[in-house]
Structures are given as C-alpha cells and as structure tokens.
Amino acid sequence: MTTFSNALTPSDIWADVLAVRTQRPLVHSITNLVVMNYNANFLLAMGASPVMAHAHEEVRDMAAIAQALVLNIGTLEPYWIESMRQALAIAAQRGIKTVLDPVGAGATSYRNQSISALLAQASPSVIRGNASEIMSVAGVAVQTRGVDSGAAVSDALQAARDLAKSTGGVVCVSGEVDHVLDASGRHVSLSNGHEWMTRITGVGCSATALVGAFCAVQPDAWRATVSAMAYLGVVGQVATQQVQAQGLGVGSLQIALLDQLQLLDRVTFESVLKMASSPITA
Amino acid sequence: MTTFSNALTPSDIWADVLAVRTQRPLVHSITNLVVMNYNANFLLAMGASPVMAHAHEEVRDMAAIAQALVLNIGTLEPYWIESMRQALAIAAQRGIKTVLDPVGAGATSYRNQSISALLAQASPSVIRGNASEIMSVAGVAVQTRGVDSGAAVSDALQAARDLAKSTGGVVCVSGEVDHVLDASGRHVSLSNGHEWMTRITGVGCSATALVGAFCAVQPDAWRATVSAMAYLGVVGQVATQQVQAQGLGVGSLQIALLDQLQLLDRVTFESVLKMASSPITA
Amino acid sequence: MTTFSNALTPSDIWADVLAVRTQRPLVHSITNLVVMNYNANFLLAMGASPVMAHAHEEVRDMAAIAQALVLNIGTLEPYWIESMRQALAIAAQRGIKTVLDPVGAGATSYRNQSISALLAQASPSVIRGNASEIMSVAGVAVQTRGVDSGAAVSDALQAARDLAKSTGGVVCVSGEVDHVLDASGRHVSLSNGHEWMTRITGVGCSATALVGAFCAVQPDAWRATVSAMAYLGVVGQVATQQVQAQGLGVGSLQIALLDQLQLLDRVTFESVLKMASSPITA
C-alpha cells in the first residue's frame, strides 16, 4: 500500500498545477445541463481535456479511456443516474479516481435516493459539496439554509469525518473556508476565494471538475483535492480583486476566472495562498 | 381581494429591485437547454437564487419549496412538458406566481399543442413573449416575420388584451417597446433597451426568468412584471452604451448585462428609464 | 447542373460574409448539450438566426422552414440521433444544405454506428471535423492522438478526398491548417487561427454552425465552407492577438471571438487572410 505524506507545501501544490497543465488529462464528466459549458471551459482553461458523454451505449467505453471520472447530479434524471452508475462501475474497476458532487443533496428525496444508489455501486475517491450537502450525504438531517453559522460548521466537519470514514475516501466541505479531509485524519483548511464566486452558476460544480483533473495526475486523492481547491481559491480571489478594481461585476468575474485559471503564476499563487493544517481532535 | 394601484413610479420599481437583491428569492426554472446557463447567471447577478430541476421524481418537491415558477418551452420534449405541467399544478395549488415564456409559439403545431396543454392545467400569472408569440398564444394566425410593423403592433396589443382577459393574468409583449398589461386594463409601455440585446441568445428567456424573481417578492404580478422589464431595459441600454463606447460587440454585451444587473444604481436607473402609461381604448 | 468556379478571391469571401449579415438565414441546429449556447451566440453574432429543436413531434416541421441544417453528435443519444435522421431526411428532400460535425468519431463504436446511420439516410452537403474524426468517418483506423504529425496530415487528406468522393459533398479537415475539398478535386488550405481557439469548448462545433449559415446564403457548398472557415480563422487570429496584447486569457477570447464575428471589417480581413490553393496530386 502506498503511503502518502501528511505535510503539504505550496511547492507541492504548484507541482500539481504544472502536472495538469502539461499532462492535459482526459476527464470524463457526467454533469448537469446548466453548467456543462462552463465546466468544459474550466477544464480547458486549466489545461485539461474534458469529455462529456452519457448515452448508455457508450458511457462505459468513454469511462474506459478517461484518466478521471466526475459525476454531478445537478439536473438528475433516472437515465442520467444510470449513466453515472455504469461509468462509476468501470472507473472503480479500472482504478481511476472518481469525484462526486452531490448537488442539492437534501432538497428532495429523489436526490437522496440517487446519491445512495451511486454510493452503493462504489465509493467515490472524493466527495465535494457545501456544508448542507455533505451533512445530507452523511445522513445528518439539515433543516435550514443557515448551515454556515459557527455551530453548524463544526457539525458539518463531524459529518465530513464520518463520511470520509464510511467511504474510505476524501471529503471536501466548501464554503467561506474550504476543508479537505480524509479517512486517515488528514485535514487542511483553505481560506481564499471570495463571496462573489457564489454569484456565478457552476463555480462549485467546476471546482469538482477541477478536483477530477488534479486527481488524474496526482495519485494521492487528498493532496489532489487540496491542490485543486487551493488553486481555485487563489484564482478566484485574484480574479475578483481585478474585476472589482475595474468597477465590473460578476459577469466579468465569470470570464476572469477562466483567464486566471490559465495564466496565474507561481509567485502570485504562493503569496496569496492561505492554507492551514487543522489537527482533528476526534 | 387585494386591490393594487394603477399608478407606478420609478421609486416603486426601485423598491422591487432592492427586494429581489435583499430577499434572494428561490426561483424554480424549467427552461430550455440553450439558455439554462445564462438564465441562471442572470438570476444570480440580480441577487435571486435559481434552481433548475425537471425529473418527474422531484419536480413537484422542488416547486413546493420555490417562491416562483418559470416555464420556458424553447427546446420542449414531451417529458419536459409533463414536468412543467406537474410543477404548474403544484405552484397553482400553493399560490406562488407562475410565468410562462411560449418560445417559438406558432412555429410548429407541437408548440401550440404544448402551450394549450399547459394553459389547460392552470393559467400562468404572467405570459411574456414577442408580438408573434403572444398573437399565436391568443389564437391569432401570424403569417410573417414582419409582425413588428405599426399595424401589427396594434394587432398584437389587441391579442394581448384578449389573452389577459381569458387567463385573468398579466401579459407582456416585448419588442422595441415593451407593453405590460393585465385583465383589469392596466397598461404600461417601456421604451428602453437596445436592438443588440436580440443578438444574444437567451436575453428574452432571461427577461422571463427575471419576471419570476420579481413576482416572488412583489405580490402584484403586473407591477412585478413592469419592474422586471423596466429594470432590464435600462440595464440593457446602459450596458450597450458602455460596450459600444469601447468599440466592443455583442459578446462583451452578454457579460456587461450581467455586470449591470448586479451593479446598476438608482440614480442611473431613474435618469434613463422611459415609462409611459398607455390608456387603452378598447 | 450548375457549375461553380474553381477560383476564389478574398472579395468573394467578403461577399458571402455580407450575405450572411444581411440575409440573416435561419439555421436549424441539432447539436450537443455542451455547446448549444455558444453555438447560438456564434450564429447571432455573425448575423444569422439560430433555431434549436429536436423533439420528434416537431423536428421535421422545423427543418421544413430552415435555410440550412446543422447536425452535431457531441453528446449523442438514440433519441437525438433519430431527431437528426428525421431532420436530415426533410432537408435532403427540400434541397437545403446539411452540415455534419462527427464529434469524437472513432472514440466509441456507438459514435461510429450513429454516423453510419446518418450517412445512410442522406449524404451531408458538408462534413467538418479534425483529422482523426475525418479519418474515422472515412473508415481509416486511427490509433493515436498524434494524428497531426506531417505523415498523418497526408493520410487525413487522402481520407478526406475519399470521403468527398463517396458522399459527393464537401469535406473540411480542420487543424493548424484547415483544408476544404470537394469531390471534383477543388482544394483550398487556410492558415489563420490560433492554438488558443482549441482551449475554448465549442469553437470547432461553432465553426460547423457557421458553415451552415454560409451554406444558407451561398449555393456553392465548397465556396460557402471556405468562406466560413476563412472568416473564422481571421476572426480567431485577430481576437487572440487583441486578448494577448491585454494580458488576458482564453476566457476573454471566448467573448472576443463573438465581438469580432460581429465587427470585423473588410480591410482587416483581407490583410490577415492566408489562403492557398492546394493542387491535388491523386
């Protein structure tokens, strides 16, 4: 069994960024109808190669040539959930990394059933969602939107730790602070980004796609997730500052995010990054 | 029965703009595949919260937690029309506002049948379309594209009045001048906007989504529709002027519209707005 | 039988550009879920009128009123392939031009079967793809991604010539150099564009849509294809230079392409265009 390091430096993350840019991994995404275009452009701006295919006649063949698989249930239908299940089965069999974005978990019982069906097929390498989604997937009842309050964040982290243990994989809880943790107790928190990123549809979904791209080139899924979320957080913060300095808004931010994904340099990245190890006292 | 005012001032409209920005209403959209992403970004830039869900397994659950429902038949299929019908039934039962965009009405008989099926389920609070679409929904045969000529506009307005009476709701005929009228005879015309807005896919559909967001916070559906269309018209005019002053085109306008939806201030809004009451002589 | 000219000048191409801008042809696109929005905006920026409809209940009616039909199998499903087949039958019957983009040909056997099913219905007026897609459609086995190497380009051109002969139509092989050839042996190569255009999803698909718009106004499908590809190549090169001069990236390029599609002037076009006749020695 491979043992991965617990320590992670900005240099490590930058090495992963360069690996995506140079290796151009093929990422198979089965995602929602709203964000497909932006997800694909996110991956391309980052240097990865997106492929989107969901027909039952070919979804296994496509999963068989990809370097990572990303599943997103945003606009789920029975046909698409079955596509995801089939792709997940092939990916698990091949040993490529799989990333699940449980969009809207908890909003309807059909979403919860669909997530259960996917988890029953295979445990994803990474699950990324906001606090209420992660709590819902972990089986914790969520009542209100106010889940980002202090008390709720600690509830969400406990749910995330439980979920990581039950799946044996990585869990990322994103929000004002992003937390990335795994079954072995590794935990990093990231404090970049900007609230405006939530005013563009598909940035969360595209973060998940980015995690897939990093997982395709970095065998440690926890490190890959930290690297993807760290990079996107800095990209988002730098892009928002640029846009606001010009008196522009969230439309321009949508474009600036893509530009910075492609162009951000190492010096800026390392000077802006805010990363902290969060020791877990379970 | 609530009685609403016939008079409407720029201050009233601005109050509605602020209500959307601060209350962030959840707008359930079942819309077409082409404009989903832009619609969602439109609503987010405006401050609203879009949710898009259409599976028969959850569409009723989602309609049950939304503050408004928006239906758009642009890339209709039987499955999606049935989703819309189910959502419309729940929305009507709950008393939340519903907005219908009959995209391409009159272009094929299947579109006309689908619109009839939706209207048979429940009358939408608001129907928004261009002159030929509104005429088609109202049962007036439309022959040519040249429906925006002077004579045809008066035909379209008569059709809109008839449609408002038969549905008991609000009808918005958009074009170079936007007309918003209701069954009680209230009628406002708005003369902002710019022809370039028709060179971006989904601006009309996004106008409809915006009407949904305003209807979620303003109980008078006629006023909500006027406010949404007035705001978008000014946003579009200001954004086009900015883009043209920089020598840029309709690609940049797509982004500038989102920026202005988010950032437009009251002074600019009130100074640019062109609104007139149009007394109806039936 | 109409005879078309073998010679083609920058003035001829510019005349076609103006024809699209002024005639605003209605282009019926049945395309993939990822690029629908960008395709529609591409056509609108160019001055054409896109319509997207795929329901079996109306797809024939829509094909019956369009001036050109564009088919793209990017996110194919059996239902959508059947939509394409029905639309293709109507278009062939009416004699309007049809353009096929065999996205991902060769990647899965289902894609190959679907392409065969479409070709069995009717030969498209134009097929546009990259080298490996064209080779796959022509029945040449493709093994690697490295198909753009010198030797492989000559293989792809031979495959394109064979395909043009078997379909009796036009074939466009796009890449660093675009080749447009037909069954009669006409062949032009175009050397504009920029590598960054491959970092935006849907530019290839939108090129195909553009070919459809030009085919709607120019009866010689080979000339229409050359004109569309030449115009887009110059647009892309000019837009990339502008974006790079401002230190911006591929996100901004996505928007600048739309701006230039709308605004590019004749003097710039003719000064940047790199077109060469490539005599074929078969």
Side-chain angles (χ1 to χ4, degrees):
Chain A
M1 186 187 167
T2 319
T3 312
F4 293 117
S5 169
N6 195 22
L8 199 49
T9 67
S11 290
D12 294 333
I13 296 174
W14 194 254
D16 292 343
V17 169
L18 294 184
V20 175
R21 287 184 180 172
T22 55
Q23 296 179 38
R24 309 199 152 206
L26 188 67
V27 179
H28 182 191
S29 292
I30 307 178
T31 187
N32 75 68
L33 300 170
V34 184
V35 306
M36 276 188 180
N37 183 271
Y38 199 56
N39 268 209
N41 277 324
F42 231 74
L43 289 170
L44 284 166
M46 187 69 221
S49 294
V51 63
M52 297 191 180
H54 65 282
H56 296 172
E57 287 79 2
E58 69 167 4
V59 71
R60 289 165 172 268
D61 290 348
M62 209 59 96
I65 59 175
Q67 271 108 48
L69 174 69
V70 178
L71 307 177
N72 177 307
I73 65 162
T75 53
L76 78 181
E77 275 183 36
Y79 185 93
W80 287 71
I81 293 294
E82 173 59 17
S83 305
M84 292 183 201
R85 199 194 58 72
Q86 291 188 17
L88 188 56
I90 296 290
Q93 195 178 302
R94 291 183 57 223
I96 62 167
K97 295 296 193 306
T98 54
V99 188
L100 174 66
D101 193 326
V103 179
T108 69
S109 59
Y110 176 55
R111 278 174 199 254
N112 298 345
Q113 290 160 20
S114 300
I115 293 164
S116 297
L118 292 175
L119 294 180
Q121 176 66 48
S123 287
S125 315
V126 185
I127 301 176
R128 193 213 64 83
N130 62 31
S132 68
E133 288 163 350
I134 294 300
M135 289 175 77
S136 175
V137 177
V140 182
V142 185
Q143 300 293 357
T144 68
R145 282 200 195 179
V147 77
D148 282 332
S149 62
V153 166
S154 82
D155 286 352
L157 288 182
Q158 188 53 52
R161 282 189 288 268
D162 294 345
L163 186 58
K165 273 174 195 155
S166 70
T167 63
V170 176
V171 175
C172 172
V173 185
S174 57
E176 200 177 321
V177 175
D178 297 324
H179 295 271
V180 184
L181 43 88
D182 73 359
S184 76
R186 292 189 291 177
H187 183 166
V188 153
S189 62
L190 300 156
S191 315
N192 293 107
H194 190 280
E195 184 270 338
W196 276 22
M197 295 167 78
T198 65
R199 299 283 297 274
I200 303 167
T201 198
V203 171
C205 302
S206 297
T208 305
L210 219 54
V211 170
F214 279 75
C215 280
V217 300
Q218 168 50 254
D220 177 356
W222 176 77
R223 170 173 162 175
T225 306
V226 173
S227 291
M229 298 304 293
Y231 187 67
L232 179 56
V234 173
V235 158
Q237 188 169 319
V238 169
T240 307
Q241 283 165 351
Q242 288 182 342
V243 162
Q244 290 183 338
Q246 295 174 78
L248 301 172
V250 294
S252 296
L253 180 56
Q254 184 185 332
I255 300 304
L257 283 177
L258 297 172
D259 285 356
Q260 286 302 319
L261 277 171
Q262 178 193 11
L263 301 174
L264 189 76
D265 63 272
R266 180 176 185 158
V267 172
T268 306
F269 173 71
E270 296 197 356
S271 69
V272 173
L273 179 66
K274 284 191 201 166
M275 176 169 65
S277 291
S278 306
I280 298 177
T281 54
Chain B
M1 186 185 168
T2 319
T3 311
F4 294 117
S5 169
N6 194 23
L8 200 49
T9 68
S11 289
D12 294 333
I13 297 175
W14 194 255
D16 292 343
V17 170
L18 293 184
V20 176
R21 286 185 181 170
T22 55
Q23 295 179 38
R24 310 199 152 207
L26 188 66
V27 179
H28 181 192
S29 291
I30 309 178
T31 187
N32 75 67
L33 301 169
V34 183
V35 306
M36 277 188 179
N37 183 272
Y38 198 56
N39 268 209
N41 277 324
F42 232 73
L43 289 170
L44 283 166
M46 187 69 222
S49 294
V51 62
M52 297 191 180
H54 65 282
H56 297 172
E57 287 80 1
E58 69 167 4
V59 71
R60 289 165 171 267
D61 290 348
M62 211 57 98
I65 58 174
Q67 270 107 49
L69 174 69
V70 178
L71 306 177
N72 176 309
I73 65 162
T75 53
L76 78 182
E77 275 182 37
Y79 184 93
W80 287 70
I81 293 295
E82 173 60 16
S83 304
M84 292 183 201
R85 200 193 58 73
Q86 292 188 18
L88 188 56
I90 295 291
Q93 195 177 301
R94 291 182 57 223
I96 61 167
K97 296 295 191 309
T98 54
V99 188
L100 173 66
D101 193 327
V103 179
T108 69
S109 59
Y110 176 55
R111 277 173 200 255
N112 298 346
Q113 290 160 21
S114 300
I115 292 164
S116 296
L118 293 174
L119 294 181
Q121 177 65 50
S123 288
S125 315
V126 185
I127 300 177
R128 194 213 64 83
N130 62 30
S132 68
E133 289 162 351
I134 293 300
M135 289 174 78
S136 175
V137 176
V140 182
V142 185
Q143 299 293 357
T144 68
R145 281 200 195 180
V147 77
D148 282 330
S149 61
V153 165
S154 82
D155 287 352
L157 288 182
Q158 187 54 51
R161 280 190 289 267
D162 294 345
L163 185 58
K165 273 175 196 155
S166 70
T167 64
V170 176
V171 175
C172 172
V173 185
S174 56
E176 200 176 322
V177 175
D178 297 324
H179 297 270
V180 184
L181 44 87
D182 73 359
S184 75
R186 292 188 291 176
H187 183 166
V188 153
S189 62
L190 300 156
S191 314
N192 293 107
H194 191 280
E195 184 269 337
W196 276 23
M197 294 166 79
T198 65
R199 299 282 298 274
I200 301 167
T201 197
V203 171
C205 302
S206 298
T208 305
L210 220 54
V211 169
F214 279 74
C215 279
V217 301
Q218 168 50 252
D220 177 357
W222 176 76
R223 170 173 162 174
T225 306
V226 173
S227 291
M229 298 304 294
Y231 187 68
L232 179 57
V234 173
V235 158
Q237 189 169 318
V238 169
T240 307
Q241 283 165 350
Q242 288 182 342
V243 161
Q244 290 182 336
Q246 296 173 77
L248 301 173
V250 294
S252 296
L253 179 57
Q254 184 185 333
I255 299 305
L257 283 177
L258 298 172
D259 285 357
Q260 287 302 321
L261 276 172
Q262 179 193 13
L263 301 174
L264 189 76
D265 62 272
R266 181 178 184 156
V267 172
T268 306
F269 172 71
E270 297 197 355
S271 69
V272 173
L273 179 67
K274 284 190 201 166
M275 175 169 64
S277 291
S278 307
I280 298 177
T281 54
Chain C
M1 187 186 166
T2 319
T3 311
F4 293 117
S5 168
N6 194 22
L8 200 49
T9 67
S11 289
D12 294 332
I13 296 175
W14 193 255
D16 292 343
V17 169
L18 293 184
V20 176
R21 287 184 181 172
T22 55
Q23 295 179 38
R24 307 197 154 208
L26 188 66
V27 180
H28 182 191
S29 292
I30 308 178
T31 187
N32 75 68
L33 301 170
V34 184
V35 306
M36 277 189 180
N37 183 272
Y38 199 55
N39 268 210
N41 277 324
F42 232 73
L43 289 171
L44 283 166
M46 186 69 221
S49 294
V51 63
M52 298 190 178
H54 63 283
H56 297 173
E57 287 80 2
E58 70 166 4
V59 71
R60 288 165 172 268
D61 291 348
M62 210 59 97
I65 59 174
Q67 270 107 50
L69 174 70
V70 177
L71 307 177
N72 176 308
I73 66 163
T75 54
L76 78 182
E77 276 182 36
Y79 184 93
W80 287 71
I81 293 295
E82 173 59 17
S83 305
M84 293 183 201
R85 199 192 60 71
Q86 292 187 18
L88 188 57
I90 296 291
Q93 195 178 302
R94 291 183 56 225
I96 62 168
K97 296 294 193 308
T98 54
V99 189
L100 173 66
D101 193 327
V103 179
T108 69
S109 59
Y110 176 55
R111 278 174 197 254
N112 298 345
Q113 290 160 21
S114 300
I115 292 164
S116 296
L118 292 175
L119 295 180
Q121 176 65 49
S123 287
S125 315
V126 186
I127 300 176
R128 193 212 65 83
N130 62 31
S132 68
E133 289 163 350
I134 294 299
M135 290 175 77
S136 175
V137 177
V140 182
V142 186
Q143 299 294 357
T144 68
R145 282 200 194 179
V147 78
D148 282 330
S149 61
V153 165
S154 81
D155 287 353
L157 288 182
Q158 187 54 51
R161 281 190 289 268
D162 295 345
L163 185 59
K165 273 174 196 157
S166 69
T167 63
V170 176
V171 175
C172 171
V173 185
S174 57
E176 200 177 321
V177 175
D178 296 325
H179 296 270
V180 183
L181 43 87
D182 73 359
S184 75
R186 292 188 292 176
H187 183 167
V188 153
S189 63
L190 301 156
S191 314
N192 292 107
H194 191 281
E195 184 269 337
W196 276 22
M197 294 167 79
T198 65
R199 299 282 297 274
I200 302 167
T201 197
V203 171
C205 302
S206 298
T208 304
L210 220 53
V211 170
F214 279 75
C215 279
V217 301
Q218 168 50 252
D220 177 358
W222 176 76
R223 171 173 161 174
T225 307
V226 173
S227 291
M229 298 304 293
Y231 187 68
L232 179 57
V234 173
V235 158
Q237 188 169 319
V238 170
T240 307
Q241 282 164 352
Q242 288 183 342
V243 161
Q244 290 182 336
Q246 295 174 78
L248 301 172
V250 294
S252 296
L253 179 57
Q254 184 185 332
I255 299 305
L257 283 177
L258 297 173
D259 285 356
Q260 286 302 319
L261 277 171
Q262 179 193 11
L263 301 174
L264 189 75
D265 62 273
R266 181 177 183 156
V267 172
T268 307
F269 172 70
E270 296 197 356
S271 69
V272 173
L273 178 67
K274 286 191 200 164
M275 176 169 64
S277 290
S278 307
I280 298 177
T281 53

